[in-house]
Amino acid sequence: MAEFTMPSLGADMDEGTLSQWLVHPGDQVARGDVVAVVETAKSAIEVECFDSGTVEALLVDEGTTVPVGTPLARIGTTAESRPTERQPVRGQPVESPPPSTPLVRRLAEDRHVDLAAVRGSGPGGRITRADVEHAESEPARAPEQQPGTEPARRKRSESGATAKTAPTPRPAKPVRSDGSAGKRPAPARVKSSPLARRLATELGVDLAEVTGTGRGGTVRAEDVRSAAATKGAQRPAVPDAALAATARLMSRSKREIPHFYLSTTVDMAAALEWMHARNRELPLSARLVPAALTFKAVALAARKVPELNGHWRDDRFVPAEEVRLGVAVSLRSGGLVAPALAHADALSVAEVMAALKDLVARARGGRLRASQTADPSLTVTNLGEQGVEAVFGVVYPPQVALVGLGRIVERPVAVNGLLGVRPVLTATLSADHRAADGATGARFLTAMDRLLQQPEEL
C-alpha cells in the first residue's frame, strides 16, 4: 500500500489545490503516469505517480486546498489490491481498453473521443495526447449523416429539397410566481476550476461567456486563455498570486542569504562558429540557438565545481546528487517559475535545446510536470533575448547560486596583441557566501568560459 501525497513543487509552496483528478478508483497506474493536476500560486502542475499499482481510493475532492504532504490517494501495490477481471459474457468478447496513460484517458473523456476508435502512434501502439487531439479535430460522421446513405436520402425526400427553414422561436420572457413578466433570475455559478477563475479575473474574461471543455462543461484554464486570446481581453494592472509568491521568495532570499557577485566576459566566436556549422546539417525545426550551448556549459561547470550545485539546509551546504538546472521563465500573467532540466550535464546540446523548448512552452501554457519543478540545484536566468547585456540575479533559496546570462554583442577585443571585433557574452554569478567564497565562484566561471572555447566538448 502506498500513499500519493500533495508534493512540494517549489521552495515557496506550503499548500496546493487539487484541481483535477486524471484517474478513478480501480485504474491501473505506472510509475511516471500523470494522475492529477495541482494548482500553486504560480501555475497548474501535472503531477506524476511515484508508484505502480491500482488506485484504491481518492482521498481529496477536486477544488480542495491542502498542505504539502497531505495524502491525496491510496495506491495498492500488491496483487491482492488489483480489481477482479471482468468475466466474458458467452458469445461476446471482452473489450480490452486501448493502451494509454491516465492523462490521455481523461483528455479523451473531456473531449468526447472514443479511444477504441483511435489508432495509437506511440511505442507499442500506445495512444498519445496528439492522437486524441487529432481524433477530435477530425470526427467521424454518423452513418445517417453521410452523403449518399439511405437514411440521408430518406431525410431529404421527406423534407423536400426546396423546403424553407422554420424561423427559430424567440425565447419567452421569464414569468414571476404571480404570473407577471419580470427580469431573468440571476445566473447560476459557472462550474470552473480555481485556476480558471483566477485567470478570468487576471485577463478580464467573463466566465459566463466561456464554453467549458472539462467534465460536465467545467470551464478550465485553457478555455479562459482561448477566450482571452479571441476577445483580446486585457489583463488588469494589479498584482496577482504569482507575483506575490515571487515577492515573498525574493524577500526571503535577500533577507537571509549573504550574496556575493562575480562576472566575466566570454568570447563566443568559437562557440558560434561551431553552432552555425552544426545548424547547416540540421533541419530548421532542430537548429540550435546560443542558449543551448551556454546552458550546457553551465551544467558541466556545475559538475566540475560541485560546491555551487546543491542546497543550504539546516545551516549547512548539502551537495546535490545530480545537476538539475533551473530555467527562469517569465509568465505571461506575471511572476516567474524556474522548472528544472534533470541531469542537464548528461544531455547533448541538441537534447538541451529540445528540453528548453518544452520547458518554456509548458511553463507558459500552465502544463508543467511535477518532476520538472522539484528542487533545481542551480538556476540560470537568460535575459539576452530581451536586450540586456548583464544580469545580476537573486539566489533562489534553498539553492546557493544563480547564473545570469546577457545578450551576445560585438565589441573590440585584443586577441594575441591585435585588436579585432568579437562576439562576447557577459556571464555573472550570484552566490551564497555561507556555502562558497569568491575563489570557488571564480573557478566556476572559468570552467564555463573554457568549455565555451571548446564547444565540441559540450
Side-chain angles (χ1 to χ4, degrees), residues 42-46 195 198-199 202-203 221-222 224-226 242 295 327-339 355-369 372-373 380-386:
K42 296 181 179 180
S43 62
I45 310 294
E46 296 175 352
L195 179 58
R198 188 170 76 236
L199 280 178
E202 296 170 3
L203 300 175
E222 60 189 41
V224 176
R225 293 190 185 99
S226 297
F295 277 62
V327 180
V329 179
S330 60
L331 301 177
R332 294 189 179 95
S333 58
L336 293 169
V337 292
L356 284 174
K357 286 183 178 179
D358 180 64
L359 276 187
V360 173
R362 283 183 170 276
R364 291 179 175 163
R367 298 184 295 107
L368 283 172
R369 298 284 179 85
Q372 295 172 322
T373 64
V380 180
T381 179
N382 181 8
L383 293 178
E385 294 181 355
Q386 299 186 32

Side-chain angles (χ1 to χ4, degrees), residues 4 68 93 102 178 188 206 221 282 300 325 327 348 377 396 405 412 419 431:
F4 171 64
V68 169
D178 59 3
D206 183 359
L282 297 173
L300 290 176
L325 201 62
V327 180
S348 67
S377 56
Y396 281 72
L405 302 174
L419 187 64

Side-chain angles (χ1 to χ4, degrees), residues 36-47:
V37 178
V38 169
E39 293 180 14
T40 69
K42 296 181 179 180
S43 62
I45 310 294
E46 296 175 352
V47 182

Side-chain angles (χ1 to χ4, degrees), residues 53 101 117 147 173 176 218 251 258 334 366 446:
T101 65
K173 293 183 178 180
R176 293 179 181 158
T218 299
S251 296
T446 299

Side-chain angles (χ1 to χ4, degrees), residues 40 58 80 85 140 144 191 209 223 242 254 309 345 404 424 429:
T40 69
L58 305 180
E80 290 77 14
E85 294 184 359
E144 63 272 17
K191 290 179 62 178
E209 298 179 357
D223 302 327
K254 293 297 289 183
N309 185 60
D345 57 321
V424 297
L429 176 71

